[in-house]
Amino acid sequence: MSRLDGRVALVAGASRGMGQGCAIELGAAGAFVYLLGRTTGSPGDGRTDTLAHTLETIQALGGAGKAIACDCADPQQLAAAIAEIEREWGRLDVIVNSVFSTPTFPGMIGKRIWEVPDDLWHSVVEVPGRAAYFTIAHAARLMMRSASAAVPGLIVNISGRGALRYRYNTAYGIGKAAIARLSHDTALELEPHHVAVMAVWPNGYAADPSKPETPRYTGRAVVALAADPHVMARSGTHMWSAEAGATYGFTDEFGHSHEVSTLTDQYSLEHEA
């Protein structure tokens, strides 16, 4: 695996899921990782969906980091967290935006726009979009000062095929499309400052259910991209986790490789062109 020694990373939404997997792999690769989220937990509490558990896992793998309780949809809390990073390290090299916390979402899959509750918009569109937007907005200056042509910075927004094709429900697609637009436009703005912005797409529906993609597999995609000195050439694009695995030659933590998916699956209402 690639090494990121001396780099500083921030993962928004690091207590569970893809954010947790990305934080663990960034820490294992040598980056100092700031873990942001609302579910802090405490060491030894037995929970696995907390910042405390993420940090313990990083440390068990020889890495280091710090947990910061933060509502990532609150610009003031984000600004305070980034100011703390600047005071303590004076640099920021990698950001992963992976805020998506709605435990009721599985029950919304397959429901039409007239069948879902009004608050689905808030949890699926507004919260992830606000979190990613304001994280980039408040961290951009620090990242620009940290980046160089030789060692570019990297912002990864965790997204998915719903950005391009119908998947799950209408709100999900709108949320993913917003993240795609954010990635595209901020990539243009940050290009002169040697900071790449990309969307990484995990495959949430495995072709082989016995070997699903893991959050740490997506984390390894982020590490490989962050270690790539030519990552600016990919700025403004999206990349499947499996595409990164094939390109950079890594597997998940179980030694499994995965195939690049298609834009449609059983959760789609349209077919491939």
Side-chain angles (χ1 to χ4, degrees):
M1 289 297 297
S2 304
R3 295 295 301 176
L4 299 176
D5 300 287
R7 310 270 190 103
V8 179
L10 177 161
V11 179
S15 61
R16 58 177 65 85
M18 297 301 164
Q20 186 176 69
C22 291
I24 290 169
E25 290 298 331
L26 285 164
F32 188 93
V33 189
Y34 282 87
L35 315 172
L36 273 57
R38 294 180 299 172
T39 310
T40 55
S42 57
D45 62 8
R47 295 183 61 178
T48 60
D49 60 341
T50 67
L51 298 183
H53 175 76
T54 307
L55 183 56
E56 285 181 318
T57 305
I58 290 171
Q59 292 168 338
L61 293 170
K66 181 177 182 178
I68 300 178
C70 179
D71 179 349
C72 296
D74 184 331
Q76 292 184 333
Q77 291 187 43
L78 279 169
I82 292 162
E84 186 172 336
I85 296 171
E86 185 169 14
R87 287 194 305 272
E88 294 179 352
W89 282 88
R91 67 179 302 113
L92 181 58
D93 304 283
V94 181
I95 288 176
V96 177
N97 286 310
S98 186
V99 172
F100 188 92
S101 178
T102 173
T104 62
F105 184 77
M108 300 297 105
I109 292 174
K111 292 188 179 296
R112 307 304 181 231
I113 191 170
W114 59 88
E115 297 175 322
V116 299
D118 291 345
D119 62 3
L120 186 66
W121 174 273
H122 174 75
S123 59
V124 174
V125 180
E126 184 174 356
V127 171
R130 279 177 62 89
Y133 179 94
F134 286 116
T135 299
I136 296 172
H138 287 285
R141 290 184 178 86
L142 181 56
M143 290 201 75
M144 289 188 290
R145 292 199 300 271
S146 307
S148 67
V151 185
L154 175 66
I155 298 171
V156 169
N157 297 317
I158 301 299
S159 188
R161 76 192 90 188
L164 296 182
R165 292 292 184 95
Y166 184 101
R167 195 164 194 249
Y168 294 144
N169 55 48
T170 296
Y172 182 83
I174 294 171
K176 295 306 182 187
I179 295 297
R181 190 73 204 189
L182 175 68
S183 301
H184 176 272
D185 290 2
T186 53
L188 293 174
E189 293 182 343
L190 287 166
E191 182 178 8
H193 306 283
H194 310 297
V195 177
V197 187
M198 293 183 62
V200 169
W201 292 6
N203 180 16
Y205 177 65
D208 182 354
S210 70
K211 299 178 182 178
E213 287 189 15
T214 66
R216 287 182 58 179
Y217 183 66
T218 297
R220 292 184 179 190
V222 173
V223 168
L225 289 165
D228 184 350
H230 306 295
V231 72
M232 288 301 304
R234 300 185 184 278
S235 190
T237 68
H238 68 264
M239 194 175 200
W240 291 94
S241 299
E243 183 183 357
T247 300
Y248 294 104
F250 62 82
T251 65
D252 64 20
E253 65 270 34
F254 303 108
H256 299 152
S257 58
H258 301 280
E259 296 181 2
V260 175
S261 188
T262 62
L263 291 178
T264 59
D265 59 19
Q266 70 181 71
Y267 301 109
S268 304
L269 289 183
E270 54 189 321
H271 302 289
E272 292 278 4

